[in-house]
Amino acid sequence: AVTTVRELPSPEAYRQFPKSGFIVRIRGRREGDRLGLAATWIQIEDYARGANWNSLSVPPALPRAALESLLNRLPLPRAKGPSVLPGDPDAFWALCKAQDLSRSRDAREQALASVHESLNKEPGSPAALRLLAHLLFQRAAAREPSASLDLVAGGEQLEACLKAHPAYPRAAS
C-alpha cells in the first residue's frame, strides 16, 4: 500500500505496521524538461528503533526514466507492468501542475485544464486519467451545476485508467 503524509508520526506509531514495510521520502527538482530525484528511506523496524536513514540520488533525466531509475535502486517490492506516468516530458509536467493545483478547491478548473493538456499530449496516461476522475468526482461532490455529468464522466475516466493499467494502486483501492 502507498500512503502520502505531510509529516511522519512518531516512531511508536509505526509499531502497528509490518516491520518489513518501508518509509520513503522523495524530493524532486526540475531542470528544464528533466527531473532530478533524491530519496531517503528506512525500514519500519529500523525507524522504530531510531536507526539512520539511507539515501540516494538520481541525476536529472527525462521524468519517467528518472523515476524508473530511482525505483530500481530502492529496496522495495515492485509490481511488474507498464508505467502509469506519461513518457512525454510536457505531458508529465502538465500532470504535475494539475496535481499541485488539485489541492486547492479554488484552482480546480485550472487543474482540469492542466490534466486535459497532459492527456492531449499523451492520451490514455493512467495517472492523468486517475487525476481527471478525481477532479470530476471533487466537482460532483461540491454539487456544482454539472454534478451528475461529472459523476458519470469521473466513473468513465476511472474505468479507462483501470483498463489502461489494471493494477494502478490509487485507482484500484
Side-chain angles (χ1 to χ4, degrees):
V2 175
T3 302
T4 304
V5 295
R6 293 199 183 272
E7 64 182 58
L8 291 173
S10 68
E12 296 79 38
Y14 281 92
R15 295 190 201 289
Q16 64 183 328
F17 296 104
K19 292 179 181 180
S20 60
F22 287 86
I23 304 167
V24 181
R25 294 187 284 200
I26 300 173
R27 289 184 172 71
R29 69 184 182 287
R30 183 176 182 173
E31 294 185 16
D33 280 346
R34 298 182 174 278
L35 173 66
L37 294 166
T40 54
W41 79 94
I42 192 167
Q43 199 159 9
I44 289 175
E45 68 180 332
D46 295 335
Y47 179 66
R49 64 180 176 77
N52 293 327
W53 289 68
N54 303 290
S55 64
L56 67 90
S57 62
V58 173
L62 293 178
R64 187 159 59 186
L67 286 161
E68 288 294 321
S69 176
L70 178 76
L71 291 172
N72 287 335
R73 294 175 60 197
L74 287 170
L76 304 172
R78 240 177 111 197
K80 300 285 185 223
S83 176
V84 299
L85 297 172
D88 178 89
D90 291 334
F92 175 85
W93 293 114
L95 182 61
C96 288
K97 179 180 178 183
Q99 182 66 50
D100 186 48
L101 290 169
S102 74
R103 294 180 174 96
S104 168
R105 184 177 185 173
D106 296 335
R108 189 176 300 129
E109 296 308 313
Q110 291 172 285
L112 282 163
S114 289
V115 80
H116 281 294
E117 179 185 342
S118 179
L119 284 165
N120 286 339
K121 294 177 185 307
E122 191 160 323
S125 162
L129 291 168
R130 199 263 336 143
L131 182 56
L132 178 56
H134 173 76
L135 291 166
L136 292 168
F137 288 145
Q138 275 186 337
R139 201 163 66 176
R143 300 191 186 278
E144 294 185 20
S146 59
S148 61
L149 294 175
D150 288 339
L151 210 57
V152 171
E156 290 170 349
Q157 299 308 317
L158 192 56
E159 188 176 330
C161 171
L162 288 171
K163 186 175 182 182
H165 197 291
Y168 191 84
R170 297 232 177 211
S173 57

